[in-house]
Amino acid sequence: MLNRFFAFYKPYKWLFIADFTCAILAALVELAFPLAVNRVIDDYLPAGNWSTILSACLVLMGIFLLSAFFHYIVTYWGHKLGINIESDMRKQAFNKVQKLPNRFFDNNKTGHLVSRMTNDLMDIGEIAHHGPEDLFIAFMTLIGAFSLMMMINPQLAILTFIVIPFLLILSIYFSKKMAKTFDRFFRDIADFNARVENNVSGIRVVKAFANEDHEIAQFAVNNERFRTTKLIAYKVMAWNASISHFLIKGVSIFVLACGTWFVINNKMTFGEFMAFILLSNIFIGPINQINSVIETYPKGIAGFKRFMELLDTPEEIEDTKDAVTIDKVEGEIAYNNVSFGYTEDKLILNQVNFNVRKGESVAFVGPSGGGKTTICSLLPRFYDVTGGSITIDGIDIRQMTQESLRNQIGIVQQDVFLFDGTIRDNIAYGKLDATDEEIWEAARQAQLEELIHAQPEGMQTMIGERGVKLSGGQKQRLSIARMFLKNPPILILDEATSALDTETEAAIQLALSKLSQGRTTFVIAHRLATIRDVDRIIVVTKDGIEEQGTHEELLQAGGNYSRLYEAQFQL
């Protein structure tokens, strides 16, 4: 894990070297000050040479001015190093999320993922900056200060050093306790974020059912759990801080008492006594640094572990080494003995076979859970088949790069997802480098032009989160415009009009008909009246493909489709 952590330093090695060097130089300057005080008190002061003392003080001022520069480099550039590493980790986490399969999102909450990319990495920058640097400087300062103290008075130096092992053992003990606490801490933050995200996303449902009090009660549970975990973490930190504080102050009092005794008995000069007190404070300083790192370390490492768990999540669906980039397909599709299950022990599809000609429109109908949506989800490789193969123009889709395959497929869903932005932004999502004229043409084809002109800000009208400021029909038209702009040779229409009123549905159906022309089209539909004119209808049940043919052929056959149609017509 440490090897993987330190790999993030590689792009910034010169920044790290500069920061590290300045930190060492600043620490050395600190060690020089007590020796200078010793020299002034024991040598220059008795001689009464004011000009020499003034010159020495000016030299010290110059040295500490240089030290101030070193501290600036350490504070700013060191934190820049930490922030850069933190940003790189967040970038990797976000990039990883883009590559994870749909199966991962089926099983993980949005709030948990957001927490992994935000709160979990909050202290990584501090660990990246202060961890290696502070620990090295602390041990270097400890050794340096102890060596100088030994030169001044070996007996007092050894007596002072006795407390250090106790402080280190104490820090390690509390570090282990905090590591467990912060692991739970981050899980509770993730649950907390998931609760808030879930509530805000579904606030209209909450209000519709007048369940605000229920949501407040649910939030209170998560909030209290988060509060309790945080209090436990700070309780551990408080014990560590208070005991360490007592021991450190005890060392200072011990040095003061013993040093006085040595001076009275002429075993130390006044200058050596002053220097020893100053060195003892420098000697204790690294202990505070080590404590600070040990307090931050469990929090940072707990977040880093969760970050690595995310990075190590199998992508499942990956491009093969010999995958080819497809620029354009004709749209001839074949499902050859296709089997698939969301879990290993249960197949949704078993040995499914059918062919679709270029430009043919095929509708999938049947009871819920039969596998209609699954059949369509396998085509753009949102999931990979567990048996058999799917080909486009005779090429197995697993031999195509995912990006080029999905560029050939357009999907219009019942639950339209629109981004928080302008009308133009959302249409342009179908082709990011589209010109204004291309965007307007797509809007006209989707019958959106009148709506856009009616808005005070036209194309730049903000539509709100998930398009909340638009009606269902307007959102659907916008998604169709996006698809006109993408202009894919293969189209999947997933219940695209089932949530609309009759008048709006007729208008959308007209736009969809226009969109489907000349494209190989898969249609998933429960409302059978909307698919009368497709080239072929395939009836999918839990037993597989039961029947297929045109609307008239299936009605005459008197099978499953006929019964479904009669049931809807009677209703």
Side-chain angles (χ1 to χ4, degrees):
M1 187 181 71
L2 288 175
N3 285 337
R4 295 178 75 174
F5 181 76
F6 285 117
F8 285 94
Y9 285 84
K10 194 173 181 180
Y12 310 105
K13 60 182 179 182
W14 294 112
L15 189 59
F16 176 72
I17 290 168
D19 170 51
F20 211 76
T21 303
C22 288
I24 291 171
L25 292 172
L28 290 173
V29 170
E30 291 296 322
L31 288 172
F33 183 68
L35 297 179
V37 170
N38 182 8
R39 191 76 181 271
V40 168
I41 292 175
D42 282 349
D43 296 341
Y44 301 151
L45 191 58
N49 193 335
W50 169 246
S51 61
T52 306
I53 294 173
L54 187 60
S55 298
C57 289
L58 289 173
V59 170
L60 278 176
M61 282 293 289
I63 291 172
F64 279 109
L65 185 63
L66 188 61
S67 176
F69 171 73
F70 293 150
H71 279 291
Y72 174 82
I73 296 294
V74 170
T75 303
Y76 178 70
W77 293 98
H79 280 102
K80 183 178 180 181
L81 168 70
I83 290 167
N84 286 348
I85 289 172
E86 183 181 335
S87 298
D88 286 351
M89 288 181 181
R90 283 207 172 94
K91 182 181 177 182
Q92 277 199 22
F94 186 81
N95 291 350
K96 178 69 177 184
V97 167
Q98 306 310 301
K99 296 175 183 176
L100 290 171
N102 281 22
R103 195 189 302 271
F104 176 83
F105 298 101
D106 294 342
N107 300 314
N108 286 274
K109 296 177 182 178
T110 304
H112 282 209
L113 288 175
V114 172
S115 187
R116 292 260 175 124
M117 288 184 277
T118 52
N119 297 306
D120 286 14
L121 296 177
M122 202 69 78
D123 290 289
I124 283 289
E126 288 299 302
I127 283 289
H129 170 211
H130 290 293
E133 175 191 296
D134 282 10
L135 286 176
F136 180 82
I137 299 302
F139 284 113
M140 188 196 79
T141 306
L142 268 175
I143 294 167
F146 182 70
S147 300
L148 293 174
M149 288 161 72
M150 285 288 289
M151 289 169 59
I152 294 171
N153 191 304
Q155 299 99 316
L156 187 54
I158 291 169
L159 289 170
T160 306
F161 188 78
I162 290 171
V163 77
I164 299 304
F166 292 104
L167 286 168
L168 290 176
I169 291 168
L170 188 72
S171 293
I172 292 167
Y173 169 74
F174 281 112
S175 175
K176 288 180 179 178
K177 288 183 75 71
M178 283 191 287
K180 293 179 182 177
T181 304
F182 279 117
D183 189 46
R184 177 183 164 187
F185 176 76
F186 282 121
R187 286 199 303 271
D188 286 347
I189 288 178
D191 288 337
F192 180 85
N193 287 345
R195 168 61 57 190
V196 174
E197 188 274 335
N198 206 36
N199 174 266
V200 173
S201 297
I203 194 65
R204 287 166 183 79
V205 177
V206 173
K207 290 181 180 296
F209 283 91
N211 278 342
E212 291 91 342
D213 289 342
H214 170 74
E215 288 295 317
I216 289 168
Q218 293 283 85
F219 176 81
V221 172
N222 287 97
N223 198 29
E224 181 58 29
R225 188 184 301 145
F226 182 31
R227 172 185 169 276
T228 303
T229 304
K230 208 167 184 180
L231 282 175
I232 291 170
Y234 281 109
K235 187 176 183 180
V236 175
M237 289 170 65
W239 273 109
N240 183 31
S242 58
I243 296 172
S244 296
H245 177 79
F246 174 76
L247 289 174
I248 287 168
K249 293 303 177 186
V251 170
S252 299
I253 294 169
F254 177 79
V255 169
L256 183 65
C258 291
T260 305
W261 185 87
F262 278 111
V263 171
I264 291 170
N265 288 278
N266 296 318
K267 294 185 178 182
M268 283 180 80
T269 65
F270 283 108
E272 287 173 338
F273 178 49
M274 287 298 297
F276 202 95
I277 287 177
L278 292 172
L279 281 169
S280 70
N281 287 329
I282 293 173
F283 182 68
I284 293 302
I287 303 300
N288 289 327
Q289 277 185 306
I290 292 169
N291 272 338
S292 178
V293 170
I294 285 174
E295 279 185 9
T296 314
Y297 175 84
K299 200 173 181 181
I301 291 303
F304 185 70
K305 282 180 180 176
R306 284 167 57 82
F307 163 71
M308 295 312 300
E309 285 172 11
L310 179 62
L311 286 195
D312 291 339
T313 303
E315 292 181 15
E316 294 182 24
I317 300 174
E318 295 184 271
D319 291 338
T320 58
K321 291 181 180 179
D322 57 347
V324 295
T325 299
I326 305 297
D327 294 325
K328 190 72 175 175
V329 299
E330 295 297 316
E332 191 160 322
I333 300 168
Y335 280 60
N336 307 304
N337 297 316
V338 169
S339 297
F340 175 78
Y342 292 101
T343 57
E344 293 181 3
D345 58 337
K346 185 179 180 182
L347 289 178
I348 302 296
L349 303 175
N350 188 18
Q351 301 285 310
V352 170
N353 290 278
F354 64 88
N355 295 304
V356 180
R357 299 185 305 276
K358 171 190 173 182
E360 186 179 10
S361 57
V362 177
F364 297 91
V365 301
S368 296
K372 303 184 297 296
T373 300
T374 301
I375 286 173
C376 295
S377 295
L378 292 175
L379 186 60
R381 289 189 72 194
F382 292 151
Y383 304 91
D384 258 344
V385 297
T386 51
S389 66
I390 301 172
T391 63
I392 298 178
D393 299 345
I395 304 172
D396 192 320
I397 59 173
R398 289 170 293 192
Q399 297 302 313
M400 305 176 184
T401 62
Q402 293 176 68
E403 182 180 1
S404 66
L405 168 65
R406 290 168 186 169
N407 281 337
Q408 309 304 315
I409 302 170
I411 303 173
V412 180
Q413 297 173 309
Q414 172 189 343
D415 184 19
V416 177
F417 186 91
L418 299 176
F419 295 94
D420 183 14
T422 65
I423 292 175
R424 187 193 186 284
D425 292 339
N426 277 276
I427 296 176
Y429 206 77
K431 183 182 175 185
L432 297 176
D433 59 350
T435 64
D436 285 345
E437 182 49 43
E438 287 175 319
I439 293 169
W440 272 109
E441 179 57 29
R444 280 190 286 271
Q445 290 177 307
Q447 302 179 39
L448 262 180
E449 189 175 21
E450 185 179 337
L451 167 70
I452 295 170
H453 284 309
Q455 305 300 318
E457 296 179 49
M459 276 282 186
Q460 299 306 317
T461 300
M462 300 294 293
I463 63 172
E465 190 174 6
R466 296 180 67 94
V468 69
K469 296 180 181 179
L470 302 178
S471 70
Q474 290 168 343
K475 286 194 278 190
Q476 196 62 275
R477 287 180 196 177
L478 207 156
S479 73
I480 293 170
R482 192 158 61 187
M483 213 48 61
F484 270 115
L485 189 61
K486 183 176 182 180
N487 193 26
I490 300 171
L491 193 61
I492 297 173
L493 306 178
D494 185 358
E495 301 278 3
T497 61
S498 63
L500 305 176
D501 61 81
T502 306
E503 185 178 350
T504 305
E505 181 184 14
I508 298 297
Q509 277 298 141
L510 187 63
L512 289 174
S513 269
K514 193 173 179 182
L515 179 62
S516 302
Q517 287 174 10
R519 307 177 202 273
T520 305
T521 307
F522 283 9
V523 182
I524 302 171
H526 283 299
R527 295 172 69 169
L528 305 184
T530 63
I531 57 168
R532 290 180 182 180
D533 298 327
V534 298
D535 298 319
R536 184 160 34 127
I537 297 168
I538 297 178
V539 180
V540 182
T541 67
K542 291 181 180 179
D543 297 323
I545 295 177
E546 274 205 0
E547 53 186 346
Q548 53 183 306
T550 64
H551 173 69
E552 288 77 13
E553 288 170 350
L554 293 177
L555 282 181
Q556 290 175 6
N560 204 334
Y561 178 80
S562 177
R563 288 192 295 274
L564 286 171
Y565 187 80
E566 286 175 7
Q568 283 196 14
F569 183 75
Q570 287 170 2
L571 290 173

